[in-house]
Amino acid sequence: MSKTVESGVYLLGRAAAADIVVSSENTATSRIHAELRTDEQERLFVRDLGSRHGTFVNRVRISRVTILKPGDEISLAGQANFRVEDLNALIRQIQS
């Protein structure tokens, strides 16, 4: 990560209450699908929140908290795809 990111938890999903909202047309993605978590050491983690269609890191379905590194791809239900570099920018926007 090139800039410091405050520690926190960010929800991903279709619901307006999510911190990072994906398209409502993406119905395989749950309303609150997964969470991103950052820590004081500038590490980024992802965790599936019991979604039916899963959260994937680099095309592998995750079943527990997974640490992310630059270049990793996150997929929600195999449809909403993000690269870690893009997520860092989104997190900085959320914190602004």
Side-chain angles (χ1 to χ4, degrees):
M1 294 181 194
S2 58
K3 293 187 178 181
T4 301
V5 177
E6 291 179 32
S7 61
V9 176
Y10 305 94
L11 300 175
L12 289 85
R14 289 185 294 123
D19 299 300
I20 301 172
V21 179
V22 300
S23 172
S24 59
E25 295 173 9
N26 185 352
T27 57
T29 299
S30 299
R31 289 178 186 91
I32 301 295
H33 192 99
E35 73 175 16
L36 289 177
R37 182 178 300 269
T38 60
D39 67 10
E40 300 81 16
Q41 297 172 358
E42 297 188 37
R43 294 180 298 182
L44 183 63
F45 304 85
V46 65
R47 178 172 70 108
D48 184 79
L49 296 176
S51 68
R52 174 174 285 170
H53 299 289
T55 299
F56 299 79
V57 174
N58 300 324
R59 300 183 181 171
V60 176
R61 189 172 185 157
I62 62 170
S63 59
R64 59 179 161 230
V65 175
T66 301
I67 191 166
L68 299 168
K69 58 189 179 305
D72 281 349
E73 183 178 85
I74 299 170
S75 176
L76 305 180
Q79 295 183 9
N81 298 306
F82 306 94
R83 286 218 178 269
V84 169
E85 290 86 358
D86 297 332
L87 291 171
N88 293 331
L90 286 171
I91 289 169
R92 286 193 294 275
Q93 287 176 2
I94 291 165
Q95 294 173 337
S96 301

